[in-house]
Amino acid sequence: MKYFVSVGFLGLCLLSGPAFGQPGGGKGKAAAKKNSTAVVEAAPVSSGITVPSWLPPEAPAHPAATLLNDVVNTKLDVRFDWARQYLLGTAVLTLRPHFYPQSTLVLDAKGFDLKTVQLVGEKADKNLTYKYDKTQLVIALDKAYTRDQTYQVRIAYVAKPDELPQGGSAAITSDKGLYFINPLGKEPNKPRQIWTQGETQSNSCWFPTIDHPNQRMTQEIALTVDSQYKTLSNGLLVNSRKNADGTRTDIWRQTLPAAPYLTMLAVGDFAVVSDTWRGKTVDYYVEPQYKNTAKAVFGHTPEMLEFFSKRLGLDFPWEKYAQIAVRDYVSGAMENTTATVHGSTIQATSRELLDAQYEGAESTIAHELFHHWFGDLVTCESWSNLPLNESFANYAQYLWAEQKYGPDQAALVQQHDLAAYLEEANDKREPLIRYRYQNREDMFDRHSYEKGGRVLHMLRKYVGDDAFFTSLSRYLAKNKYTAVEISKLREAFEETTGEDLTWFFDQWFMQRGHPELKITHSYSNGQLLLRVRQMQDTVFQPIYRLPVTITVWQKDKAIDHRITVTKTDETFSFIAADRPSLVKFDSEAQLLGEIDEERSTEELVFQFYHARNYLQRAEPLEMLHNKAADAGVSGMYRNALQDNFYAIRRSALDHLRAYRGTAPTAVRSEIQHFATTDPSSAVRAQAITTLSFFASENYGSVYQAALRDSSYLVEAAAVAAIAKSPTPAALQQVAALDNTSNSTLLVAIAECYAKAGTIEQYPWFLRRLPDVNDLDLYAYLQSFGAFMVQMPAIEREKGVQTLETLARTHPQYYVRLGAYKGLVTLAAGTPALKEILRDIRDKEKDERLKAYYGMI
C-alpha cells in the first residue's frame, strides 16, 4: 500500500492528529530469544518525570488473530446491480480446522443480506443453522471436523457496501471494500467502474471470509458483467464465455495462496496494453485515452521484475502481473496479488509526462511490485507487524532509484524519507513493531513506511550488501506463502551473518524514537577529539548503539574512521598531523536521527566542494541559506547551479531568492537563464519562483515566455509569479490557459484569480471544478472561497452551496476539509454561514476532521 496524504498539502497535518497519532507499546515480556524479538513496554510515568508531547497514551493490545479454521480456497460467482450498488454473490469456501477440532465456523461478512448457508455434500447440500449480526456470521457445522478434514460451505448473499457505516483513515480514506464509480452514468466526465480495496479488513464487505492477514487461500472468481466491459482479478483469466442475456462471464483463477485482503476485482471500460517478462503476462489497464502513454508510465515494470528477482535471489513467483488505474481511488495504490490497483492520477498525457519525477509514478510502481515478495509472498501475521510489508516496499523505492538512476537520486529518496519521518516524530513516536494501538489503520504511518525503510538501509550498511540480500533471500525462501512476525526476519539475518543482532532489532524495531546527537570536535597537538552526545530523552527512548563512519579531511585528503557510539556522552580520539579542513560525522549519511553537527561556514563550503555524494552537497546549501550574501557562500550557490543533478540546481535556485550580495545583476541573469534553458522542468519552475521574490525587478517577459513552456509545472509557476504583481496583459495571458486539462495548472490559475481575478471568473470556478482531481481540490476549493470574498454576498449563493455540499458529502475527507476551509474564509460577518459551518462540524463523523475543525 502506498499513501500520499502529506503535511505539505494539508497545512496543519492530519497525519499527526487522531488519524495517525495513536498509542503504541509492547506485546509483553520477551520470550526465549530464538522464538521472539524482545518487546519493550511503554515506560511507566512516575511523578517528577516530564512526559513528552509525542508519547501516545495507553492503548489496547492487538495480538495476531487466533487461528481456529483456515480458509483453503475461495470460489466466488458474482454479478452486479449498478443502480442499487449491490453485489449478488455465491461463495463456496473450502476450509479445515487449524489444529483443534471445530464444530463452529465464524466468518467476517459485513452488511450482507443472506439467502442460504449450506454445507456442500457429495450427494446433496445441507442447510446449516447460523447467527448473523451484520458483521460476523457464526455457522453451526454438522459435526466436529479435525485438522485432517476439509469441508465446504456455500453462501448465497447480497453485499451492500454503500449502505455500510462510513469509515476510513488518512492512508485508506474509506473502508467499504467495494466501490461503484458513476454507477448511473450521470457524470459525463467520469467512466463507470467497479473496483475493490481490501486492506486492511474490508474485503469482507463483499465476500464472506476470515478477514485476517494470517489466513492464506487460493481462489477463483467468476465475474458476470455487461459485455462492453473489461474485467481484472487475481491470477489468470482461465475462461470467458458470452451469455444469452448479452452479458459475459470471466473466470479468474489464482492457484498460489495469498491473504484474503489481497483479493481484488475491477470492472470498466479499460484499454489493456500488454507487455511480458520471461514469458509471463504483464498488462497495464488504463482509460482508453491514455492507451498510447501507458507504456511510458508503466514500461519499466519488466525491468523492475528482472532487477528485483535477481537482487532477492528469488524470481517473481506469481502467475502474472497487471496494473490498473481507477477513478476515485481511496488510497495511493494497493498491491493485490498479481493485480495492483493505482489511482487514476498515475495516468498521464505525453505532455504531463514531461514533468514526471521519480518520486511520483515510477517510485509507486516499484513500491507495489516489491510488495509481491514482501507482503504478498511473505505476509505480516498481524497489523502490528505491518513494517514487514511496508518498510520493505518503501525501501524498494530507494533500491530502484539506486539501480536505475544512480546514487544521487537514491539519496534524494533517502532525504525525503528522513524528513517525512522526523516531521511526524514531532507529534508521535512509536515502536516500528507495536502491538498496542487504537485502530489497526493507525499502523499506516510514516513510521511503518519512511522510518522503516531507513532502518533497513542502516541494517544493509551494517552487515554489507552481500549479507543483506542473502538474508532477504533466506527470509523469503524459508517463509514463502506464510505469515510471520519480526523475529523471523531477525533470525534470517543471524543465520546468514552468524552475529546476534538482537541489539539492532530491539533498538530500531521494538523501541520508539530516534537518536538526537550533538557533535563537536577540537584539534590540538596532533590529536583530533570528536565528542558525541546523545541528547534524546532516554526515559522514553533508548541509548543507541550506533556504528558510523567519520571522515576526516586534511587538505584534500580524506581518511575514513569506523566507530561505534554506545554511551550518552563519548569522546573519540584520532591522530591527525595537521588541523583538519573538515570533520564529517556519519559521512555515509546512513543514520536515522537528528544530528546537530558543529561546523563553521568555511568547513561547510569546503564540504560542498569535496562532497562524495548528494547529501554532502545538499547539506551546505540548506545550512548556509541565510549567508547567501557572503562571497564564499554565494560562489558556492552559483557553482551549485552547474551541478549535474537537478535537485542540487533546484535547491541552489530556491536559496538564491534571498541573495542580496555583490553582482546581483549577474546572479539574476543566471537565474533567468535557468528559467528558460534548464532541461529539468522542476528547475525551470523553481527559477521562475525565485525571480518572483525580487519584487523590485520586472520579469514579466520571462513569465510570459514561461506561459508557453512545454511543461505544465513551469506554466503553473509562471501563473503564481504573475499573481504576485499582475498586469492586465499578463492576466489576459493567464486567461488564455483557462481551458487547460491539467489539474496542477488549474490550481495555479485558481490561486491567481483568488488574488487578482474579477467576478467574470466566477463561472470558470464552477465550470472547471469537475476537472480537478481530488488531491488538488483541497487547494482549489480554498482558492474558490478566497475568490468569492471580493464578490457581493448576493452573487455567492451557488458557490456557497457548492462548497457546502462538498464539505458535507464528498467521499474524500481532505476534499471535505478544503471545502470547509473555503467556507471559513467567507464566514466573517455572515451569521448564516457560521451556522452552516457549525452544523457541518456537528454532523461530521470522521474523527480526523472533527479534531481539525476544533482547531480552526
Side-chain angles (χ1 to χ4, degrees):
M1 171 68 71
K2 173 81 170 179
Y3 66 95
F4 293 99
V5 177
S6 70
V7 177
F9 90 88
L10 283 189
L12 184 55
C13 179
L14 294 183
L15 291 178
S16 57
F20 278 93
Q22 299 292 358
K27 186 177 182 182
K29 294 182 180 179
K33 176 183 175 299
K34 289 301 173 185
N35 295 320
S36 177
T37 296
V39 180
V40 178
E41 292 282 2
V45 180
S46 59
S47 60
I49 295 177
T50 300
V51 178
S53 61
W54 46 255
L55 184 70
E58 188 67 13
H62 295 276
T66 300
L67 295 171
L68 299 176
N69 288 283
D70 295 337
V71 183
V72 178
N73 178 265
T74 296
K75 188 174 183 178
L76 302 177
D77 189 344
V78 304
R79 61 183 63 227
F80 306 96
D81 183 333
W82 288 81
R84 293 188 291 179
Q85 299 183 51
Y86 290 173
L87 177 146
L88 315 177
T90 300
V92 177
L93 307 183
T94 303
L95 307 105
R96 70 161 61 93
H98 183 74
F99 185 83
Y100 300 107
Q102 300 295 326
S103 58
T104 301
L105 170 64
V106 180
L107 296 174
D108 298 296
K110 301 184 180 81
F112 294 175
D113 284 349
L114 296 176
K115 303 302 182 182
T116 58
V117 178
Q118 298 175 312
L119 183 75
V120 178
E122 291 184 7
K123 296 182 178 180
D125 296 344
K126 180 188 299 184
N127 289 331
L128 297 173
T129 60
Y130 61 88
K131 295 180 180 179
Y132 182 48
D133 64 0
K134 290 293 185 178
T135 300
Q136 285 193 321
L137 173 60
V138 182
I139 302 171
L141 301 174
D142 62 330
K143 66 177 184 178
Y145 288 83
T146 69
R147 62 181 180 270
D148 299 321
Q149 297 175 296
T150 60
Y151 61 93
Q152 287 188 321
V153 173
R154 176 184 285 109
I155 301 168
Y157 64 98
V158 177
K160 303 178 177 181
D162 218 48
E163 297 177 14
L164 292 170
Q166 181 172 301
S169 67
I172 309 166
T173 59
S174 176
D175 61 358
K176 65 182 184 179
L178 175 69
Y179 300 81
F180 288 78
I181 306 305
N182 193 18
L184 302 180
K186 292 183 176 181
E187 298 178 74
N189 297 324
K190 184 176 290 186
R192 298 176 80 207
Q193 296 177 351
I194 300 171
W195 47 263
T196 62
Q197 165 54 42
E199 195 172 36
T200 49
Q201 293 172 201
S202 299
N203 271 343
S204 50
C205 297
W206 64 276
F207 69 91
T209 189
I210 301 176
D211 207 351
H212 294 287
N214 56 355
Q215 289 284 335
R216 296 198 84 87
M217 66 187 194
T218 56
Q219 65 183 62
E220 179 178 297
I221 302 181
L223 297 168
T224 299
V225 299
D226 293 340
S227 59
Q228 73 265 32
Y229 293 129
K230 300 283 198 315
T231 70
L232 177 65
S233 190
N234 311 79
L236 298 176
L237 181 63
V238 296
N239 192 22
S240 182
R241 66 175 184 269
K242 294 180 179 180
N243 303 316
D245 61 359
T247 63
R248 189 185 74 254
T249 299
D250 291 345
I251 300 176
W252 293 86
R253 181 181 299 149
Q254 181 170 288
T255 59
L256 299 171
Y261 77 89
L262 296 167
T263 296
M264 68 80 67
L265 63 80
V267 178
D269 180 16
F270 297 101
V272 182
V273 178
S274 295
D275 220 333
T276 60
W277 173 76
R278 294 193 192 177
K280 290 188 177 183
T281 299
V282 178
D283 285 336
Y284 318 127
Y285 287 63
V286 295
E287 293 174 37
Q289 64 268 33
Y290 294 102
K291 179 179 180 179
N292 292 335
T293 55
K295 279 199 175 181
V297 173
F298 297 105
H300 288 307
T301 302
E303 191 179 351
M304 291 180 186
L305 283 161
E306 186 69 17
F307 169 64
F308 289 145
S309 294
K310 288 182 176 179
R311 207 71 170 103
L312 295 171
L314 184 68
D315 289 348
F316 178 80
W318 305 98
E319 296 99 324
K320 67 132 189 322
Y321 191 55
Q323 296 174 85
I324 187 169
V326 301
R327 288 292 186 101
D328 297 349
Y329 195 50
V330 295
S331 187
M334 179 63 207
E335 66 276 8
N336 309 293
T337 310
T338 77
T340 287
V341 175
H342 296 273
S344 61
T345 55
I346 200 169
Q347 301 171 128
T349 65
S350 56
R351 186 179 176 194
E352 287 169 337
L353 286 169
L354 297 175
D355 292 327
Q357 299 290 330
Y358 172 71
E359 297 89 336
E362 190 172 347
S363 179
T364 301
I365 290 166
H367 179 111
E368 304 306 331
L369 177 56
F370 210 62
H371 266 309
H372 280 71
W373 286 268
F374 295 91
D376 294 10
L377 184 65
V378 180
T379 309
C380 61
E381 71 168 13
S382 68
W383 301 117
S384 300
N385 283 270
L386 181 67
L388 290 173
N389 295 8
E390 296 300 347
S391 297
F392 279 101
N394 175 271
Y395 194 48
Q397 297 166 233
Y398 177 92
L399 292 175
W400 178 246
E402 182 181 48
Q403 164 68 14
K404 184 67 177 177
Y405 300 106
D408 282 354
Q409 183 65 63
L412 180 62
V413 172
Q414 191 177 38
Q415 182 186 46
H416 288 173
D417 284 354
L418 178 61
Y421 160 70
L422 291 176
E423 186 171 46
E424 183 175 83
N426 288 325
D427 301 300
K428 170 187 179 178
R429 297 187 191 181
E430 297 274 24
L432 279 181
I433 307 298
R434 47 196 188 270
Y435 294 88
R436 292 184 179 274
Y437 49 78
Q438 296 290 358
N439 185 298
R440 59 182 173 265
E441 292 193 8
D442 299 340
M443 291 295 300
F444 292 82
D445 61 5
R446 302 203 181 280
H447 286 60
S448 293
Y449 288 73
E450 284 88 348
K451 180 181 181 181
R454 285 299 304 265
V455 168
L456 291 173
H457 185 67
M458 285 190 292
L459 183 56
R460 176 186 175 188
K461 296 297 289 186
Y462 178 71
V463 302
D465 274 19
D466 189 14
F468 181 78
F469 290 105
T470 299
S471 298
L472 296 189
S473 182
R474 182 189 298 268
Y475 167 78
L476 292 168
K478 290 187 67 174
N479 299 293
K480 61 185 177 181
Y481 306 113
T482 68
V484 300
E485 62 179 358
I486 187 65
S487 62
K488 296 295 186 181
L489 182 65
R490 176 181 53 75
E491 289 169 3
F493 273 86
E494 291 184 342
E495 290 167 4
T496 298
T497 65
E499 180 181 351
D500 188 325
L501 292 168
T502 303
W503 66 270
F504 185 95
F505 280 78
D506 280 357
Q507 77 178 18
W508 288 115
F509 285 96
M510 313 311 299
Q511 300 194 60
R512 60 171 51 86
H514 55 267
E516 299 169 32
L517 306 178
K518 176 71 174 178
I519 313 297
T520 57
H521 65 269
S522 61
Y523 176 79
S524 179
N525 298 323
Q527 187 179 49
L528 170 66
L529 298 178
L530 180 80
R531 185 182 181 187
V532 183
R533 285 178 285 170
Q534 298 196 39
M535 310 299 290
Q536 69 273 11
D537 183 344
T538 55
V539 173
F540 300 98
Q541 301 171 104
I543 299 171
Y544 285 87
R545 174 179 171 183
L546 303 172
V548 66
T549 297
I550 313 299
T551 301
V552 179
W553 272 268
Q554 291 188 288
K555 298 181 180 177
D556 290 333
K557 182 180 180 181
I559 302 174
D560 293 334
H561 302 275
R562 189 74 173 168
I563 66 170
T564 300
V565 179
T566 59
K567 301 174 183 178
T568 56
D569 192 343
E570 206 163 355
T571 299
F572 299 87
S573 175
F574 309 96
I575 296 174
D578 302 303
R579 180 176 297 278
S581 303
L582 174 67
V583 178
K584 185 71 183 79
F585 180 83
D586 187 24
S587 55
E588 296 179 341
Q590 68 183 64
L591 290 184
L592 181 148
E594 295 176 90
I595 303 175
D596 179 4
E597 187 176 3
E598 183 181 86
R599 278 158 296 168
S600 66
T601 297
E602 291 72 23
E603 287 174 311
L604 285 166
V605 171
F606 180 93
Q607 177 179 318
F608 174 82
Y609 286 111
H610 293 79
R612 294 171 166 179
N613 54 52
Y614 161 73
L615 291 170
Q616 285 183 13
R617 304 198 309 281
E619 188 181 32
L621 299 179
E622 181 64 32
M623 294 186 69
L624 296 175
H625 69 275
N626 60 348
K627 296 186 177 182
D630 179 273
V633 175
S634 64
M636 176 190 72
Y637 282 116
R638 295 176 72 177
N639 185 278
L641 293 177
Q642 308 307 317
D643 198 278
N644 289 330
F645 189 45
Y646 80 95
I648 293 293
R649 302 196 302 276
R650 183 176 61 185
S651 178
L653 287 165
D654 181 30
H655 295 305
L656 279 171
R657 66 187 181 184
Y659 179 77
R660 299 295 184 271
T662 59
T665 301
V667 170
R668 295 176 188 182
S669 177
E670 286 184 73
I671 297 172
Q672 289 185 66
H673 173 76
F674 281 91
T676 56
T677 64
D678 197 275
S680 165
S681 61
V683 174
R684 298 199 303 277
Q686 180 60 62
I688 295 289
T689 301
T690 297
L691 289 174
S692 73
F693 280 87
F694 303 135
S696 61
E697 301 290 336
N698 182 1
Y699 296 106
S701 61
V702 178
Y703 304 152
Q704 289 167 22
L707 291 177
R708 300 186 297 273
D709 197 280
S710 58
S711 160
Y712 285 119
L713 188 63
V714 175
E715 282 189 327
V719 170
I722 287 168
K724 287 187 174 183
S725 54
T727 65
L731 287 175
Q732 189 173 359
Q733 284 190 294
V734 170
L737 303 174
D738 276 359
N739 291 320
T740 179
S741 61
N742 182 262
S743 187
T744 299
L745 186 53
L746 285 173
V747 169
I749 296 170
E751 185 178 1
C752 180
Y753 287 160
K755 294 176 181 177
T758 67
I759 195 171
E760 293 178 0
Q761 279 87 41
Y762 185 44
W764 177 86
F765 272 97
L766 294 167
R767 176 173 62 86
R768 297 314 309 269
L769 193 148
D771 303 316
V772 182
N773 68 50
D774 285 352
L775 287 175
D776 287 334
L777 273 177
Y778 173 78
Y780 184 90
L781 295 174
Q782 292 177 73
S783 292
F784 190 22
F787 170 82
M788 284 192 288
V789 169
Q790 61 190 301
M791 294 174 53
I794 195 171
E795 302 286 346
R796 301 175 187 166
E797 183 178 355
K798 188 172 183 179
V800 169
Q801 288 178 352
T802 299
L803 290 178
E804 180 185 354
T805 299
L806 291 170
R808 292 184 186 277
T809 65
H810 197 280
Q812 299 288 13
Y813 80 99
Y814 48 83
V815 176
R816 300 203 300 279
L817 175 61
Y820 183 91
K821 292 176 76 173
L823 289 171
V824 168
T825 304
L826 287 167
T830 310
L833 197 47
K834 290 181 179 179
E835 180 60 26
I836 289 173
L837 287 166
R838 183 199 61 76
D839 189 62
I840 291 172
R841 289 196 303 271
D842 291 346
K843 293 179 178 177
E844 178 59 61
K845 296 179 180 179
D846 191 299
E847 293 297 327
R848 296 161 296 185
L849 290 184
K850 289 165 67 175
Y852 190 87
Y853 292 161
M855 293 185 282
I856 296 179

